[in-house]
Amino acid sequence: MSILYDEGQQAIATESRRVLEARTDKARLLGLIEQVGRHDEPFWQTAVEQGWTALAIPEQHGGLGLGLVELGLVAQACGAATAGAPFLTGSYGVAHALAAGIDPALAAEWLPRLASGDATGCVALAEGNAALPNLAAVTFADGRLSGTKRAVSGGLSAAVGLIWASCDGSPVLALADLAGAGRSAVDSYDNARLYADLEFAGTPARLVAKGDVAQALALDVLARLAVVTAHEQLGGAEALLHAARDFAVTRKAFGQPIGAFQSIKHRISEIYALVEIARANCIHAASSEGGEGFLLAAADARISATEAYDTASRDCVQIHGGIGVTWELGLHLHMRRARSLAVEQGNLLFWEDLLVSQLTGDKA
Amino acid sequence: MSDLEAYRAGARAFLEAMAPTYGRDARAGNSVEQDLALGRKYQALKYEAGFAGINWPREIGGQGLGHLEKITFDAEEMRFGMPTAFFSISLGMPVPILIRYGMGENREHSAWVKERVVKALRGEEIWCQLFSEPAGGSDLAGLRTRAEPDGNGWRMNGQKIWTSWAQYSDYGVIVVRTDPSVEKHKGLTYFWVDMKAKGVEVRPIKLAGGDNHVNEVFFDDVRLEDSQRMSPVGGGFGVALATLMIERYTATDSAGFGPHLDRFVKLAHEVEINGRPAIEDARVRSQIARNHAMRAGLDSITSRAFQMMMAGMEPGPEGSLQKLVSVRSRQKLSELALDLQGSAGLAFDPHGSVKDNWGASWLNAPTGRIAGGSDEVLLNTIAERVLGLPQDHRPDKGVPFNKIPA
């Protein structure tokens, strides 16, 4: 069962879109592409001012106590504007794990700071091309982490990191104060994501969960981040659908708008189909938060949103022709973001496998 | 339990009671004639139980309930494989249009209409829809069958094609050209026609999958009374569009009216690739996952449309994606299912159901991509009506029908 957005949710969608449209500046975003280590600071100030950092954090810890539906709507607005820094997802992942973890003191210490935007968090589950390795190479022993997590989204400036590690052959989730970790920036095609290699050499960290509980919690965090990211991808894909449509009705060739040619019309209709399927899956997944079918719904949302954003960015550029590949027009902001978001939170290969495992109960 | 859930439970209880006699398993191996006879019996029982004409007015023989009850029943019924196909066009479009446009200006035909409606609901009479022609399918307004004034009535000549169930039909609704000297969609008029009348000839067309449910219908000097006219003279295109719009939100099937994805997953467990179960093969897993995500999206679109209707809102245009997206992916998935079976998949059961036989699903899928709006027409409709893109270049626009270059 899916949902219809209520009035409050609709207001969040409208207001976040309005604010971001007013405050996002394409030239500023283009300027960030070639600079390593800088994010869109005006966006972050907006996120804090609008209360987006507090949205999905429990009220007892200074948050607004809302859920994935609301955070998803903000992420969708961010995606449409290619706005943003990765903290909205990362901080939410850390906050959710702490709230669900074994250490109430740790939650009490960090959740209010994450809610106020005073501190940001990142989530480091992946190693290599594995979104959630069975046994992490990063180790945790005697309250200390050792090893390296590569290209962690938001890792360059986050205050704390939720780290997937192993302890005597058993999985753990640990929270590291990143002041004690080595960080080196990754020069990426989407530098505003602040990718960093995090190096732990006996870095102090505190246990959030261990064993099967850690395994289940890590997957839950990953699925939640995937649903938020799917909304961001949906927002991007929808913005490209509109860009393609607007261009096709104004640009003329052979004596008519190019949108009168079926090769263009049908391409745009196909993007519409992908966007609407992704939207339906995103709404369903967000509204299934915490329910029995959540992982499956998250996989559906993630797969369809990835397909929608990748296809939309490919085809929207194609419809624009030459102008579409210029630096100045900036469609490559979406191309870059479509790819970085496709890789963060587990790629299609991961989610396809996970979906089938959920469906069959098999482990492949 | 909400009223609607109670209604659903009642529908399910009725269907479960009917299934042993009329359901998918009971029908296996039936000839078309046997299946039609079974279908007529089932339809009569549906009528008596109050599950026919669910959202039609009581005074005309319906149940006077809402659209939600109708699609709730249809969605439940679809799962049982009942013999309803013979009546789906009849009750889906021609009969509702008869109710709306066939009463006469002063409701002088209402008793006759009510008699037709009840007989159609009971499966005693079947109506067909005579729209497509050899020269006009997607281009409906391009049709050439003509009716000329003949005393106080009309004389009709021409040919229709792809008419579902015409060979079993008692009546049909038809759009014909009454004035070739005006723009093509302005010279059309809408009638009903007695399919047993003199000069009507029905010839079944065997389709690629082996079945004969569609027909060519020839009209040779067929007499129409003016009382059979259901639109103003020259106003037939509007009624034809109303016919196509009548059931915008019907029960849908994200499996594209082919096998459920569970059946594909089951097959992937049963067969092997390189000595391992096919379900472990990444190519197979990828297709399952992509299809699941697509179908889940369509199901959520349906679920939200339903909720919007319950809230008194008009569902969004995304409902129009269902057939386009689901049928073509069913076609590809059916190909893959046949591939997975290898040479064992070469055996073909000509009576296999498209809902559970991959060969039948594959071979009949093209029909689904063409009938009721081809993929291309649907993509154009989305582009123009939903996204506001311009119409195609149309050399026939503003030109009298008889001046359009042939």
Side-chain angles (χ1 to χ4, degrees):
Chain A
M1 201 60 176
S2 196
I3 57 155
L4 303 181
Y5 290 132
D6 64 26
E7 279 179 25
Q9 289 160 345
Q10 286 175 32
I12 288 174
T14 314
E15 183 61 10
S16 54
R17 179 150 299 195
R18 188 194 66 75
V19 168
L20 286 174
E21 273 172 12
R23 299 191 191 174
T24 305
D25 175 56
K26 186 169 74 180
R28 196 174 74 224
L29 295 180
L30 287 172
L32 292 173
I33 289 177
E34 294 179 304
Q35 298 182 56
V36 182
R38 281 196 52 213
H39 67 273
D40 190 22
E41 184 54 27
F43 164 78
W44 187 243
Q45 288 163 6
T46 299
V48 172
E49 167 207 307
Q50 296 289 315
W52 296 340
T53 50
L55 214 57
I57 291 178
E59 285 172 288
Q60 80 220 55
H61 295 296
L64 297 172
L66 297 171
L68 270 185
V69 174
E70 292 80 9
L71 188 59
L73 285 169
V74 171
Q76 197 174 323
C78 293
T82 57
F87 314 131
L88 273 188
T89 15
S91 292
Y92 167 70
V94 172
H96 178 76
L98 292 183
I102 56 171
D103 190 345
L106 200 56
E109 180 185 345
W110 283 102
L111 286 177
R113 297 186 59 195
L114 293 169
S116 69
D118 168 43
T120 64
C122 65
V123 175
L125 306 176
E127 286 178 1
N129 66 359
L132 188 66
N134 285 332
L135 203 59
V138 169
T139 57
F140 178 77
D142 302 325
R144 290 176 185 277
L145 284 167
S146 303
T148 306
K149 291 283 189 186
R150 299 208 177 275
V152 177
S153 173
L156 206 52
S157 69
V160 276
L162 180 72
I163 313 297
W164 178 241
S166 62
C167 177
D168 293 332
S170 174
V172 296
L173 276 172
L175 190 79
D177 187 330
L178 295 180
R183 307 190 219 213
S184 45
V186 175
D187 191 349
S188 163
Y189 50 78
D190 190 6
N191 277 325
R193 302 300 293 174
L194 295 176
Y195 295 113
D197 293 341
L198 301 182
E199 281 143 46
F200 305 106
T203 306
R206 287 163 69 181
L207 195 64
V208 176
K210 62 180 177 180
D212 291 345
V213 177
Q215 181 83 43
L217 183 56
L219 194 53
D220 185 39
V221 167
L222 185 57
R224 285 164 181 274
L225 296 187
V227 171
V228 178
T229 303
H231 281 82
E232 199 169 343
Q233 293 170 302
L234 166 64
E238 192 176 18
L240 289 170
L241 168 67
H242 294 155
R245 192 266 319 271
D246 292 349
F247 186 75
V249 297
T250 49
R251 168 72 177 177
K252 288 188 177 171
F254 305 102
Q256 62 177 7
I258 62 168
F261 293 106
Q262 289 193 351
S263 57
I264 305 290
K265 285 166 96 163
H266 291 189
R267 216 183 262 279
I268 298 175
S269 293
E270 297 282 8
I271 301 175
Y272 171 78
L274 292 173
V275 165
E276 291 307 324
I277 287 169
R279 185 197 316 281
N281 278 330
C282 279
I283 296 170
H284 178 63
S287 65
S288 314
E289 174 183 5
E292 201 179 325
F294 177 61
L295 271 180
L296 191 58
D300 285 328
R302 174 66 171 156
I303 289 168
S304 52
T306 300
E307 193 183 359
Y309 200 13
D310 268 342
T311 305
S313 64
R314 216 183 292 130
D315 288 357
C316 183
V317 170
Q318 184 69 22
I319 286 162
H320 277 75
I323 193 75
V325 294
T326 60
W327 183 272
E328 185 185 355
L329 188 71
L331 286 178
H332 60 113
L333 285 165
H334 277 293
M335 273 178 64
R336 292 162 188 269
R337 189 58 48 84
R339 274 286 86 212
S340 61
L341 294 184
V343 173
E344 290 181 20
Q345 331 302 356
N347 58 20
L348 270 182
L349 307 174
F350 171 85
W351 284 105
E352 286 175 355
D353 264 333
L354 187 124
L355 188 151
V356 177
S357 298
Q358 285 296 305
L359 214 52
T360 61
D362 300 338
K363 275 277 176 194
Chain B
M1 200 187 317
S2 73
D3 290 352
L4 201 59
E5 286 312 302
Y7 185 81
R8 185 189 300 276
R12 196 172 296 171
F14 168 75
L15 290 163
E16 278 166 1
M18 292 290 112
T21 317
Y22 302 99
R24 189 175 288 115
D25 293 343
R27 292 170 58 202
N30 272 1
S31 69
V32 178
E33 282 69 24
Q34 289 170 324
D35 217 28
L36 174 59
L38 194 73
R40 289 189 197 270
K41 284 186 193 163
Y42 171 65
Q43 202 60 38
L45 291 169
K46 258 172 87 170
Y47 179 80
E48 276 148 32
F51 291 115
I54 291 168
N55 57 342
W56 297 0
R58 278 186 168 279
E59 59 268 25
I60 202 77
Q63 296 297 321
L65 298 173
H67 194 61
L68 290 172
E69 283 83 359
K70 162 88 164 69
I71 45 182
T72 298
F73 182 85
D74 287 354
E76 290 297 322
E77 186 184 49
M78 204 187 287
R79 300 159 7 134
F80 290 86
M82 301 295 198
T84 55
F86 309 101
F87 316 101
S88 60
I89 302 276
S90 175
L91 301 175
M93 289 160 288
V95 176
I97 285 290
L98 179 72
I99 296 171
R100 202 150 127 199
Y101 296 98
M103 296 286 195
E105 277 173 37
N106 304 304
R107 299 183 67 82
E108 64 272 22
H109 308 311
S110 61
W112 183 82
V113 169
K114 180 168 182 180
E115 190 185 341
R116 297 283 76 70
V117 169
V118 172
K119 283 185 182 286
L121 285 176
R122 296 181 58 92
E124 292 167 17
E125 291 177 354
I126 296 175
W127 285 65
C128 61
Q129 173 170 289
L130 300 141
F131 279 16
S132 291
E133 294 190 6
S138 295
D139 181 12
L140 173 60
L143 56 86
R144 291 162 189 269
T145 296
R146 62 192 192 281
E148 286 151 345
D150 178 29
N152 54 0
W154 302 80
R155 194 177 63 249
M156 177 166 68
N157 282 283
Q159 180 194 353
K160 295 286 176 176
I161 197 169
W162 315 129
T163 314
S164 294
W165 311 117
Q167 68 269 59
Y168 305 116
S169 287
D170 301 280
Y171 299 95
V173 290
I174 189 163
V175 194
V176 295
R177 188 162 307 280
T178 45
D179 185 354
S181 70
V182 294
E183 272 185 71
K184 62 182 191 178
H185 62 281
K186 289 182 179 162
L188 305 176
T189 305
Y190 203 106
F191 293 89
W192 64 261
V193 57
D194 180 351
M195 292 297 285
K196 311 294 183 200
K198 185 166 172 288
V200 179
E201 189 193 347
V202 178
R203 292 186 203 158
I205 299 171
K206 186 171 181 178
L207 292 181
D211 81 74
N212 297 294
H213 81 278
V214 296
N215 301 271
E216 292 178 287
V217 183
F218 296 87
F219 300 98
D220 183 13
D221 277 341
V222 173
R223 167 78 185 178
L224 299 172
E225 302 305 325
D226 198 50
S227 60
Q228 290 173 243
R229 184 164 53 79
M230 293 165 67
S231 76
V233 176
F237 195 65
V239 178
L241 285 188
T243 310
L244 298 176
M245 291 297 288
I246 203 158
E247 297 268 313
R248 257 183 90 191
Y249 299 102
T250 51
T252 57
D253 179 5
S254 64
F257 307 97
H260 195 276
L261 192 59
D262 288 352
R263 285 189 178 266
F264 188 87
V265 173
K266 185 166 177 282
L267 173 66
H269 276 106
E270 289 163 357
V271 301
E272 294 189 342
I273 297 176
N274 298 326
R276 306 284 305 160
I279 190 71
E280 294 177 16
D281 187 281
R283 294 161 294 187
V284 172
R285 295 173 78 80
S286 176
Q287 287 308 311
I288 292 172
R290 297 294 183 106
N291 273 278
H292 191 276
M294 181 274 290
R295 292 174 183 208
L298 294 180
D299 288 340
S300 286
I301 286 173
T302 302
S303 156
R304 280 166 46 77
F306 200 80
Q307 290 179 61
M308 286 182 214
M309 287 189 276
M310 285 178 74
M313 298 152 66
E314 174 81 358
E318 62 274 11
S320 62
L321 293 169
Q322 298 278 352
K323 185 178 96 77
L324 170 70
V325 174
S326 65
V327 180
R328 67 186 182 187
S329 44
R330 156 196 153 193
Q331 186 174 33
K332 284 188 175 179
L333 192 70
S334 302
E335 289 168 0
L336 181 58
L338 292 177
D339 274 340
L340 278 181
Q341 297 171 72
S343 51
L346 290 170
F348 178 68
D349 173 7
H351 302 295
S353 152
V354 295
K355 284 301 289 177
D356 48 32
N357 180 296
W358 292 107
S361 170
W362 159 72
L363 199 50
N364 290 293
T367 315
R369 293 185 57 191
I370 294 163
S374 67
D375 286 7
E376 291 72 19
V377 165
L378 295 175
L379 287 166
N380 256 21
T381 305
I382 291 165
E384 292 170 16
R385 302 270 175 82
V386 181
L387 302 172
L389 287 159
Q391 274 201 341
D392 292 358
H393 177 54
R394 290 269 306 274
D396 59 354
K397 255 197 145 168
V399 180
F401 180 72
N402 56 13
K403 297 285 190 317
I404 294 170

